[in-house]
Amino acid sequence: MASGDFCSPGEGVEILQQVCSKQLPPCNLSEEDLLQNPHFSRLLLSLSQHVDESGLSLSLAKEQAQAWKKVRLHKTAWLRLEILQRIIQELLVDYYVKTQDTKLTSEDKKDFVWMRARLPLEVEEQLKKKCFTLLCYHDPSSDSDSETLKAAKVWKLAEVLVGEKQQCQDAKSQQKEQIVLLEKKSATYSQVLLRCLALLQRLLQEHRLKTQSELDRINAQYLEIKCSAMILKLRMEELKILSDTYTAEKVEVHRLIRDRLEGAIRLQEQDMEKSRQVLNSYEVLGDEFDRLVKEYTQLKQATENKRWALQEFSKAYR
């Protein structure tokens, strides 16, 4: 098939989707699949011109239609004979039951000629009863009609049944098309839903990243305020314990001790500063430098001890 015989891409895709849903087995091909595989799309479009809606080739479909026509004719002839045979069997069974239960009159003792002459009338009567029964089953409102009206309705019953059968077949075909269309729409809706969920997730992530810094700042302020409140509460408890523990005389003694310790610390720091200057001056010395370092370390350790003692007294004073 020449490329010039094809319609526009959009129309071609629509035609191919109709072909896939009607003439070819449902393959659930999306528009994207058909556009990404143009050679396969051309093959499907070319193949659709040689098959019918059932997927058979046109020649096989024609032969199948003729075969089904012959089958229907043979089936109709067989049904006629089968109905006639069953009615005759029913008549014989009724006659046998009648001969067993009641005493037959001279008119009931039939010979073969008389039975053959009466049989068509009996068969016709049985067929009429069965036709009326079928009519009332199909249309219960016909039960109260006269025999003439029932006979007229029975005459058209076959045509009515054929029409109803065709309606059922059309409804089944439409249902099949609707099912295929529903499956396609369901697949499309699922894809759209997945894209929407991905977009929603991305928007949530972006929004969370924008607001996370502000939220962290607020949380940090809250924790800072809460920590300050806890510190103040602990300080108040400490002061309460100290006020209940120490008298004014003890506090004054502690103040004097603290002043003396602070003075000693200042002197010690002055000595340490001098030692540091000396260390800086004699840094290039060997053993002498090690001795000065040890001396400096001892002074620093002594200063730290006095500072610790001052802190302990300060705590006791506070």
Side-chain angles (χ1 to χ4, degrees):
M1 192 171 185
S3 59
D5 296 338
F6 287 98
C7 305
S8 62
E11 295 176 352
V13 169
E14 184 177 357
I15 293 174
L16 281 174
Q17 288 180 337
Q18 294 177 359
V19 167
C20 292
S21 61
K22 292 183 179 181
Q23 293 179 258
L24 299 177
C27 38
N28 197 17
L29 293 175
S30 63
E31 181 178 353
E32 184 179 358
D33 296 330
L34 296 174
L35 290 176
Q36 291 180 354
N37 301 276
H39 297 291
F40 181 66
S41 302
R42 292 190 182 93
L43 176 62
L44 290 178
L45 191 57
S46 176
L47 183 62
S48 65
Q49 299 178 358
H50 301 283
V51 297
D52 64 351
E53 293 184 358
S54 63
L56 289 175
S57 64
L58 297 179
S59 59
L60 287 177
K62 185 177 180 180
E63 294 177 2
Q64 187 186 51
Q66 294 176 353
W68 275 114
K69 185 177 180 181
K70 292 181 181 179
V71 170
R72 283 193 294 269
L73 292 175
H74 289 294
K75 185 177 181 180
T76 301
W78 177 83
L79 285 174
R80 288 174 181 172
L81 295 175
E82 180 69 16
I83 291 172
L84 183 60
Q85 181 183 0
R86 290 190 180 186
I87 289 177
I88 293 173
Q89 287 178 350
E90 291 176 0
L91 290 173
L92 292 175
V93 170
D94 292 340
Y95 177 76
Y96 176 77
V97 172
K98 187 176 182 181
T99 58
Q100 295 293 324
D101 297 339
T102 61
K103 186 176 181 180
L104 297 177
T105 63
S106 57
E107 295 179 356
D108 294 330
K109 295 180 180 179
K110 305 164 190 176
D111 56 10
F112 179 75
V113 177
W114 181 85
M115 184 182 295
R116 188 174 61 180
R118 190 176 176 182
L119 186 59
L121 297 177
E122 295 289 339
V123 170
E124 183 179 354
E125 185 65 23
Q126 289 294 326
L127 284 173
K128 184 175 70 173
K129 290 181 180 180
K130 291 185 179 298
C131 288
F132 286 169
T133 302
L134 179 61
L135 175 64
C136 294
Y137 176 79
H138 177 264
D139 185 11
S141 62
S142 301
D143 193 17
S144 59
D145 294 339
S146 62
E147 288 193 1
T148 304
L149 184 57
K150 287 181 179 179
K153 289 184 177 181
V154 167
W155 185 261
K156 295 182 179 180
L157 182 59
E159 183 179 352
V160 172
L161 292 176
V162 170
E164 291 181 355
K165 181 180 179 181
Q166 185 62 38
Q167 289 179 358
C168 291
Q169 291 177 351
D170 294 340
K172 288 182 179 179
S173 299
Q174 292 179 0
Q175 183 183 18
K176 183 178 178 181
E177 293 177 0
Q178 292 295 328
I179 290 175
V180 173
L181 182 61
L182 179 62
E183 290 177 353
K184 291 183 178 179
K185 287 187 177 181
S186 298
T188 303
Y189 290 159
S190 299
Q191 294 175 359
V192 173
L193 181 60
L194 290 176
R195 289 198 295 266
C196 291
L197 290 176
L199 180 61
L200 180 61
Q201 184 178 6
R202 183 170 62 85
L203 291 175
L204 288 175
Q205 290 177 351
E206 292 179 355
H207 179 71
R208 185 180 63 181
L209 291 175
K210 290 179 181 179
T211 58
Q212 188 65 35
S213 59
E214 181 67 18
L215 183 62
D216 292 341
R217 185 183 64 81
I218 295 174
N219 288 334
Q221 290 180 352
Y222 167 75
L223 292 175
E224 183 180 358
I225 294 172
K226 187 175 181 180
C227 183
S228 300
M230 291 297 295
I231 292 174
L232 291 175
K233 186 176 180 180
L234 291 174
R235 181 59 179 165
M236 289 177 62
E237 293 294 331
E238 181 182 1
L239 292 176
K240 183 178 180 181
I241 293 173
L242 290 175
S243 63
D244 295 339
T245 304
Y246 297 101
T247 62
E249 292 79 7
K250 290 182 179 180
V251 172
E252 184 63 25
V253 171
H254 289 164
R255 183 181 294 110
L256 293 174
I257 295 173
R258 187 185 65 180
D259 292 340
R260 292 180 181 179
L261 289 174
E262 287 178 350
I265 289 173
R266 284 194 296 270
L267 292 176
Q268 194 70 36
E269 288 178 348
Q270 292 176 0
D271 294 339
M272 187 171 61
E273 182 63 26
K274 292 178 180 179
S275 299
R276 186 181 294 110
Q277 292 176 359
V278 172
L279 286 173
N280 291 333
S281 301
Y282 295 98
E283 187 176 4
V284 295
L285 300 178
D287 298 335
E288 185 65 20
F289 178 74
D290 293 336
R291 185 184 63 79
L292 292 175
V293 168
K294 292 179 181 180
E295 182 180 354
Y296 172 77
T297 303
Q298 294 174 356
L299 291 174
K300 185 176 180 181
Q301 185 65 35
T303 303
E304 292 295 332
N305 293 334
K306 292 180 179 180
R307 189 184 301 277
W308 175 81
L310 178 60
Q311 289 177 353
E312 294 297 322
F313 279 109
S314 297
K315 290 181 180 179
Y317 172 71
R318 287 197 300 268

